């Protein structure tokens, strides 16, 4: 399987502090890649670099390259707006906008220039279906999105991200704020989504990484220690530090 | 795919809004700058020692604003002396004594209403309440201003009382101190910054007030001491500005007063920021 | 935590006594190790003092309520008779105000309409400027620019209305006369411009607070969907802060409708119907201010009625403001 994102010698500094060190990683297409590691290891920072959300933080400096389908995402003629249309993101805490469910999902397509009602209706329905929440909300599309449960809100956020038809979906601990039942629904959903999308997911939960991911990358202190098939990483880690971490000896 | 530029429509939207925001902010900034410079530059040439140190006389064809300056000082002093205990007391009641949420919300709502009432209505009510019984005089004006400034003092004191750590009070109660003793020794010293901020804000409001004073304090220009001054009618600087500009067409004098008021307004703004920063630094 | 002492609430005198008795008994228990005779006396005295102090503070707390009641009652008592004599329809909808004529007419429709038009004009002019400035200050401006502009806005709020009036008289009024080639620049338009400037600080301060309070998560989500920062501010942040911004506008309306002196100096002050922007007009506030000094009899009573109408407007605005603030608070 080919890689959709390839990272070459990437380093990232917050001011003088180096948060990511010489990362090299190829993210395979239409598969699920889990990023694991103890808190502060840089996995979330790395995730946010992939759609350039770190651009917003003052004092951030990045060297090296990240190629998305062969294009360097840091090159001057790349528009961040288009990059983020290709690489969507779901956040740790469900963050629907304080507007109706429909408008939440339609926000992205509208931003990217789709204004026809018929077309929007179609996109919204498809996105909600893909996010496995259509049946629950189809009768209250005009209701405020803050009125549904946390698990539903997170699936709505996934639908919102899907509505702009990205190719890659970045997920930053998408279930850490949810209860076990909502978590398992979202995990099922993620596995379903990999048929159409490439997914990169940050998780603190080893079981979750084993359950859902095809590939796993283990980060420690800003370094990529090991990257490979999830089965291999968890059954026969090559690096001592990986073994220590996944067997629960630290972190 | 990635390197196509933003669509024309979105670019136009961006540019338009950016331009509008800059225009609006620039306009606001320009307005402040213009008002400040215009009044001060037009006023300063008219500020002479004679203007500041004499009272107006038709015989000598002279205009002096000394009485207005004195009246302003008197009315500020009288208002603050009365409003401070009332406002601070009310704030203490709200934060320390009131056990009933309903009473608190009623009082707070009343304070909110008071701060929304236009000064011309205060002027009318002040006239009915005070001037009709004690005559048009500075004291009647001061009492009217007391009602106007009550919410300000209450609010600033309340805000500062909320920052007095609960543990101080508990500590004092734990030592067996009575409520009143705790309020006197622990709570009152803690609201000093709120009281000072409230005073500065109130002084600003009193300096600028005119509509509430026209019918309560009147617009005489006689030099008095503070006691007889409070019992006599008199114009404050703002009222004098109005009278000279609107009724007498003495724009030079009006601008001199305007410049003085502007400088005081700037000073009051700086003082407020300074006091807040000073106490914030001391607290942390 | 507002409550410190677990004492029951004290409303009326009956409760007061009861609370006093309860407290005395508990104190006795606490101090029972000390010599009884002295202590009982001492603690009783102390308790009386405590209750007196409590009572005093209660009274001070109720002063604000008393003032509101007093103002309301006085305005009604002095405002209702004239309305009764003139007739409420003739008063509110009479198109002519001629209080000093041989056959006096007391119709305040010109004042009401002028106040409404003037306020609406100030809002139409001032709100977009204030709103755009707020978004810029809250979301885009550097911290330095933001703090400088915020003190500038506070300064704008602190400038006395007579100074606005003076500058309006000498800059705005002649300016309007020249630009629009009208005989007199003093009128509705001049008043609208002055009011628009005067309501800017209320609008900006409150909108900036509301916009600053929008959770960053909303904005992040929008950016991650490919919206540009500016699209994000206007399509997500502003709708999220809409209650606060609406409250800011209502506050501005309150300021505008209640302003007297600045308007008095630039509006021309003739009780005309506000038929054109250049018409010399009188507001509800200036109607009171301009005749009060030399009024008497029914004319004077009618002025109090005008004030009553103004007061009603203000109370209506207050209620609207509270509605928006509460809605924001509940979210």
């Amino acid at each position: 399987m080919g890689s959709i994102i390839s990272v070459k010698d990437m380093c990232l500094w917050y001011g003088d502090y180096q948060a990511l060190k010489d990362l090299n990683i190829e993210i395979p297409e239409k598969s699920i890649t889990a990023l694991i590691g103890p808190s502060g290891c840089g996995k979330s920072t790395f995730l946010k670099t992939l759609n350039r959300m770190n651009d917003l933080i003052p004092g951030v400096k990045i060297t090296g390259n990240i190629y998305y389908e062969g294009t360097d995402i840091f090159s001057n003629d790349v528009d961040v707006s288009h990059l983020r249309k290709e690489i969507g993101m779901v956040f740790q805490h469900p963050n629907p906008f304080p507007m109706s469910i429909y408008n939440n999902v339609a926000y992205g397509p509208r931003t990217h220039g789709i204004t026809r009602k018929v077309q929007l209706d179609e996109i919204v329905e498809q996105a909600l279906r893909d996010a496995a929440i259509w049946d629950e909300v189809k009768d209250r599309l005009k209701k405020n999105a803050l009125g549904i449960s946390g698990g539903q809100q997170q699936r709505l956020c996934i639908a919102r991200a899907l509505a702009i038809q990205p190719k890659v979906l970045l997920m930053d601990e998408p279930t850490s704020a949810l209860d076990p039942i909502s978590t398992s629904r979202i995990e099922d959903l993620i596995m379903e989504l990999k048929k159409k999308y490439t997914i990169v997911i940050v998780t603190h939960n080893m079981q979750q990484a084993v359950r859902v991911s095809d590939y796993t990358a283990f980060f420690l202190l800003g370094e990529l220690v090991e990257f490979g098939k999830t089965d291999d990483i968890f059954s026969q880690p090559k690096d001592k530090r990986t073994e220590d971490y996944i067997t629960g000896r630290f972190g | 795919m990635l390197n196509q530029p933003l669509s024309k429509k979105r670019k136009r939207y961006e540019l338009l809004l950016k331009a509008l925001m800059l225009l609006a902010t620039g306009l606001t900034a320009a307005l402040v700058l213009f008002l400040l410079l215009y009044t001060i530059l037009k006023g300063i040439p008219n500020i002479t020692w004679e203007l500041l140190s004499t009272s107006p006389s038709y015989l000598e064809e002279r205009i002096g604003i000394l009485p207005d300056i004195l009246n302003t000082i008197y009315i500020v002093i009288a208002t603050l002396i009365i409003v401070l205990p009332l406002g601070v007391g009310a704030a203490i009641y709200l934060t320390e004594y009131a056990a009933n949420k309903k009473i608190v919300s009623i009082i707070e709502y009343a304070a909110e209403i008071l701060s929304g009432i236009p000064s011309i209505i205060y002027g009318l009510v002040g006239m009915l309440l005070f001037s009709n019984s004690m005559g048009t005089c500075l004291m009647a004006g001061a009492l009217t201003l007391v009602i106007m400034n009550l919410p300000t003092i209450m609010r600033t004191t309340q805000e500062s009382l909320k920052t007095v750590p609960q543990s101080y009070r508990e500590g004092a109660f734990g030592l067996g101190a009575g409520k009143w003793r705790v309020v006197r020794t622990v709570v009152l010293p803690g609201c000093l910054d709120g009281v000072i901020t409230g005073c500065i804000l109130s002084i600003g409001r009193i300096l600028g007030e005119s509509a509430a004073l026209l019918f309560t304090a009147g617009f005489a220009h006689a030099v008095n001491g503070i006691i007889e001054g409070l019992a006599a009618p008199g114009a404050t600087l703002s009222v004098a500005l109005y009278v000279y500009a609107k009724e007498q067409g003495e724009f030079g004098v009006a601008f001199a007063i305007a410049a003085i008021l502007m400088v005081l307004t700037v000073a009051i703004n700086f003082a407020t920021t300074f006091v807040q920063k000073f106490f914030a630094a001391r607290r942390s | 935590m507002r409550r410190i002492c677990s004492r029951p609430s004290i409303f009326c005198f009956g409760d007061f006594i009861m609370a006093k008795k309860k407290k005395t008994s508990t104190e006795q228990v606490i101090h029972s190790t000390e010599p009884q005779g002295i202590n009982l006396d001492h603690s009783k005295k102390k308790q009386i003092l405590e209750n007196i102090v409590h009572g005093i503070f209660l009274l001070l707390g109720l002063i604000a309520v008393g003032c509101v009641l007093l103002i309301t009652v006085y305005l009604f008592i002095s405002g209702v008779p004239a309305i009764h004599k003139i007739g409420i329809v003739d008063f509110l909808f009479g198109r002519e105000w001629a209080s000093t004529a041989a056959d006096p007419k007391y119709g305040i429709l010109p004042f009401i309409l002028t106040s409404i038009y003037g306020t609406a004009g100030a809002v139409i002019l001032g709100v977009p400027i204030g709103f755009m400035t707020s978004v810029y200050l809250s979301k885009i401006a550097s911290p330095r620019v933001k703090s400088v502009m915020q003190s500038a806005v506070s300064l704008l709020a602190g400038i006395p209305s007579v100074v606005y009036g003076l500058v309006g008289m000498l800059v705005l009024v002649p300016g309007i006369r020249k630009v629009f080639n009208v005989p007199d620049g003093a009128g509705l338009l001049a008043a609208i411009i002055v009011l628009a400037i005067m309501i800017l600080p209320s609008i900006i301060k409150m909108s900036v607070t509301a916009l600053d309070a929008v959770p960053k998560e909303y904005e992040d989500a929008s950016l991650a969907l490919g919206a540009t920062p500016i699209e994000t501010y206007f399509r997500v942040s502003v709708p999220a802060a809409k209650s606060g911004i609406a409250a800011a506008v209502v506050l501005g309306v309150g300021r505008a409708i209640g302003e007297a002196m600045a308007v008095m100096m630039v509006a021309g002050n003739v009780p005309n119907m506000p038929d054109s922007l250049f018409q010399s007009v009188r507001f509800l506030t200036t109607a009171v201010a301009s005749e009060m000094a030399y009024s008497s009899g029914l004319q004077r009573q009618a002025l109090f009625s005008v004030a009553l109408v103004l007061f009603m407007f203000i109370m209506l605005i207050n209620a609207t403001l509270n509605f928006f603030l509460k809605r924001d608070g509940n979210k």
Side-chain angles (χ1 to χ4, degrees):
Chain A
M1 214 178 274
S3 71
I4 187 162
I5 294 175
S6 56
V7 179
K8 296 263 169 27
D9 301 322
M10 195 200 78
C11 303
L12 182 144
W13 283 266
Y14 291 121
D16 292 333
Y17 171 73
Q18 187 171 6
L20 295 175
K21 294 166 191 164
D22 292 313
L23 298 185
N24 284 285
I25 187 170
E26 304 276 325
I27 292 173
E29 201 173 351
K30 296 209 172 137
S31 62
I32 301 174
T33 303
L35 310 180
I36 61 168
S39 303
C41 67
K43 56 192 189 307
S44 280
T45 303
F46 173 65
L47 192 78
K48 286 185 183 133
T49 313
L50 296 179
N51 69 344
R52 290 182 54 183
M53 284 296 276
N54 282 332
D55 287 18
L56 309 171
I57 303 164
V60 163
K61 199 181 81 196
I62 298 168
T63 61
N65 308 86
I66 297 178
Y67 297 95
Y68 169 78
E69 293 192 321
T71 314
D72 185 351
I73 65 165
F74 295 118
S75 111
N76 283 333
D77 54 357
V78 165
D79 190 280
V80 149
S81 170
H82 293 299
L83 174 70
R84 292 179 187 157
K85 186 178 176 305
E86 296 287 306
I87 306 182
M89 186 164 206
V90 176
F91 296 81
Q92 183 172 4
H93 293 278
N95 57 352
F97 302 130
M99 34 176 115
S100 72
I101 291 170
Y102 183 94
N103 283 340
N104 260 281
V105 183
Y107 181 86
R110 277 186 183 136
T111 299
H112 293 280
I114 297 170
T115 46
R116 273 180 51 223
K117 177 91 171 71
V118 186
Q119 205 180 349
L120 277 176
D121 286 350
E122 228 168 80
I123 292 173
V124 168
E125 177 170 348
Q126 192 54 46
L128 288 168
R129 278 187 193 283
D130 285 350
I133 193 181
W134 171 252
D135 290 328
E136 291 158 64
V137 298
K138 65 179 178 213
D139 300 323
R140 40 177 172 159
L141 292 176
K142 300 285 169 212
K143 293 270 163 62
N144 194 308
L146 299 180
I148 58 181
S149 77
Q152 289 174 323
Q153 287 189 7
Q154 192 62 303
R155 276 181 284 142
L156 174 63
C157 291
I158 293 173
R160 183 175 65 185
L162 296 180
I164 46 172
Q165 287 148 353
K167 290 199 177 125
V168 180
L169 207 52
L170 309 176
M171 298 184 149
D172 190 359
E173 300 188 42
T175 60
S176 69
L178 303 179
D179 60 90
I181 296 171
S182 304
T183 299
S184 104
R185 294 200 65 168
I186 294 211
E187 285 179 7
D188 292 346
L189 169 62
I190 293 171
M191 285 189 278
E192 187 62 30
L193 288 175
K194 82 167 172 182
K195 288 179 195 153
K196 288 203 243 172
Y197 307 91
T198 304
I199 292 168
V200 184
I201 178 170
V202 167
T203 178
H204 259 119
N205 181 332
M206 292 307 111
Q207 283 86 12
Q208 186 169 63
V210 174
R211 275 197 303 266
V212 303
S213 72
D214 305 303
Y215 298 88
T216 296
F218 172 58
F219 283 77
L220 188 64
L221 300 170
E223 277 177 74
L224 175 64
V225 175
E226 200 169 339
F227 175 63
K229 282 214 156 78
T230 301
D231 294 345
D232 297 345
I233 295 257
F234 280 89
S235 57
Q236 42 203 315
K238 294 193 192 78
D239 197 294
K240 180 78 172 57
R241 291 169 293 177
T242 316
E243 191 181 341
D244 286 349
Y245 182 69
I246 61 177
T247 51
R249 244 164 268 169
F250 67 87
Chain B
M1 182 66 201
L2 287 189
N3 39 26
Q4 53 180 283
L6 222 53
S7 79
K8 268 204 183 121
K9 206 174 142 197
R10 289 178 71 185
K11 256 203 183 122
R12 267 208 306 271
Y13 180 83
E14 287 267 297
L15 279 176
L16 179 73
L17 285 173
K18 223 181 237 173
L20 284 177
M21 280 191 288
L22 282 173
L23 201 71
T25 312
L27 192 65
T28 310
L31 269 172
V32 179
L33 215 60
F34 167 76
L35 283 167
L36 202 62
L37 291 180
Y38 183 77
T39 43
I40 290 180
L41 292 181
K42 290 239 352 183
I44 281 180
N46 291 302
I47 300 178
T48 57
W49 178 244
E50 201 199 349
L51 182 81
L52 295 176
S53 63
T54 58
S55 48
S57 152
Y58 288 112
L59 291 176
E60 297 169 43
E61 284 186 20
R62 174 188 72 194
I63 292 178
I65 58 169
L66 179 67
D68 311 321
I69 296 175
L70 290 177
N71 287 336
T72 309
I73 296 172
Y74 298 159
I75 213 165
V76 165
I77 293 173
T79 308
L80 287 184
I81 286 180
I82 303 169
V83 77
L84 271 184
L86 302 185
V88 173
I92 288 180
Y93 177 77
L94 287 177
T95 41
E96 309 296 325
Y97 281 91
N100 185 295
K101 269 206 174 129
K102 199 144 194 190
I103 284 210
V104 172
S105 72
I106 289 175
I107 294 175
E108 282 178 346
Y109 188 58
E112 224 173 274
I113 292 180
L114 281 186
S115 57
I117 293 178
S119 37
I120 183 78
I121 289 193
Y122 278 110
L124 274 195
V125 175
M127 183 179 89
L128 292 170
L129 271 179
F130 308 121
S131 305
N132 279 0
S133 54
M134 62 206 312
T136 304
C137 63
L138 282 184
M139 198 59 208
L143 288 172
T144 311
L145 291 174
V146 164
I147 307 179
M148 284 180 79
N149 286 295
L150 188 64
T152 313
I153 303 278
M154 276 172 72
R155 201 194 63 238
T156 56
T157 311
Q158 237 184 314
E159 269 163 23
S160 71
L161 283 177
K162 279 177 191 160
T163 64
V164 175
Q166 200 56 33
S167 58
Y168 288 11
R169 299 180 180 110
E170 281 159 7
F173 280 123
L175 291 172
K179 180 113 195 164
W180 168 228
R181 195 173 149 75
V182 173
V183 167
R184 247 183 324 157
T185 54
V186 178
V187 173
L188 266 178
C191 69
L192 187 65
D193 63 328
V195 173
I196 294 178
T197 313
C199 280
I200 299 174
L201 292 178
S202 296
I203 293 175
R205 190 141 182 224
I206 298 169
L207 282 178
E209 190 48 58
S210 44
L213 293 175
L214 268 179
F215 313 122
T216 52
F219 29 82
H221 308 284
V223 174
N224 289 310
I226 183 159
I227 304 296
E228 64 266 36
L230 284 172
T236 63
L237 283 169
S238 284
V239 174
L241 192 168
Y242 173 76
V243 173
Y244 284 126
K246 190 81 186 12
E247 323 255 286
Q248 303 184 8
E250 294 283 357
F251 293 116
V253 182
F255 269 108
I257 300 176
I260 295 172
L261 288 175
M262 278 307 250
V263 171
L264 289 173
T265 310
V266 173
I268 279 168
N269 262 314
F270 274 115
T272 323
T273 328
F274 175 77
V275 167
Q276 273 160 357
K277 271 197 189 136
F278 175 79
F279 279 98
R282 221 178 58 166
R283 202 170 281 132
S284 58
Chain C
M1 261 297 282
R2 186 161 255 145
R3 216 144 63 99
I4 298 115
C5 146
S6 57
R7 191 158 28 171
S9 66
I10 294 180
F11 277 131
C12 58
F13 200 57
D15 278 348
F16 203 73
I17 304 278
M18 271 174 46
K20 182 175 129 187
K21 277 184 186 154
K22 241 185 236 165
K23 187 64 187 249
T24 318
S25 62
T26 51
E27 291 224 346
Q28 260 173 283
V29 176
I30 291 165
H31 294 280
S32 58
T33 48
E34 290 170 37
Q36 277 283 328
I38 308 164
N39 180 50
L40 201 78
D41 212 36
H42 178 70
S43 108
K44 228 182 206 164
K45 257 190 205 155
K46 202 168 140 191
Q47 198 46 49
I48 292 169
L49 174 74
E50 288 290 335
N51 283 329
I52 291 174
V53 171
H54 189 141
I56 292 175
F57 277 119
L58 175 66
L59 279 180
L60 291 176
L62 289 174
I63 284 182
V65 182
C67 287
V68 171
L69 290 179
L70 208 62
I71 290 172
T72 316
V73 168
Y74 259 87
L75 279 174
F76 270 93
I77 290 180
S78 43
V80 169
I83 298 181
H84 193 70
K85 264 179 233 165
I86 298 159
I88 186 147
V89 176
D90 286 346
F91 181 67
L92 289 179
F93 301 104
R95 303 169 65 91
E96 202 187 334
W97 174 272
S99 57
T100 48
D103 174 24
K105 293 238 168 47
Y106 300 104
I108 64 163
L109 191 64
F111 307 153
I112 295 179
L113 287 183
T114 302
S115 274
I116 292 175
Y117 292 174
T119 304
V123 165
I124 290 170
L125 216 59
V127 167
I129 297 174
F131 168 70
M132 284 290 173
T133 307
S134 316
V135 180
Y136 184 80
L137 293 185
S138 170
K139 300 296 170 191
I140 298 175
S142 67
R144 223 186 116 80
V145 171
K146 185 175 175 180
S147 92
V148 170
M149 276 303 288
Q150 277 180 323
S151 20
V153 169
S154 306
L155 183 66
L156 205 57
I159 297 176
S161 19
V162 282
V163 175
Y164 281 108
L166 177 66
V167 177
M169 273 173 94
L170 290 179
V171 179
L172 201 56
V173 170
I176 290 175
R177 195 179 58 222
K178 272 181 214 136
V179 172
F180 295 97
N181 203 13
V182 284
D184 187 4
L188 187 56
L189 181 63
I192 285 176
I193 295 174
V194 169
L195 287 176
I197 298 171
M198 292 183 78
I199 63 173
L200 270 184
S202 330
I203 294 172
I204 294 177
K205 266 191 199 166
M206 207 156 172
S207 306
V208 167
T209 312
L211 284 165
D212 280 351
V214 172
K216 209 178 152 298
E217 287 79 33
Y218 294 162
E219 286 161 12
D220 281 350
S222 165
L223 292 168
L225 287 167
T228 62
I230 290 191
E231 286 168 339
T232 299
Y233 303 145
F234 283 90
R235 292 186 179 162
V236 173
S237 315
V238 167
K242 64 171 184 279
S243 288
I245 295 172
V249 174
V250 178
L251 194 69
V253 169
R255 277 283 139 74
I257 209 164
E259 178 52 43
M261 302 311 275
V263 168
M264 183 114 147
M265 293 165 88
V266 300
N269 221 11
V270 181
N272 290 321
M273 287 294 270
D275 298 324
S276 97
L277 278 175
F278 307 105
Q279 188 80 268
S280 172
V281 287
R282 222 182 252 189
F283 287 67
L284 284 168
T285 48
T286 52
V288 177
S290 53
E291 289 187 15
M292 192 44 92
Y294 57 84
S295 64
S296 62
L298 184 59
Q299 178 196 6
R300 193 179 178 84
Q301 287 180 323
L303 292 178
F304 284 115
S305 312
V306 173
L308 181 61
V309 171
L310 175 63
F311 185 67
M312 303 285 233
F313 269 107
I314 293 289
M315 294 310 262
L316 192 72
I317 289 163
N318 254 334
T320 321
L321 186 67
N322 250 40
F323 166 76
F324 281 118
L325 288 178
K326 235 180 222 151
R327 200 173 69 176
D328 225 21
N330 287 346
K331 233 191 287 176

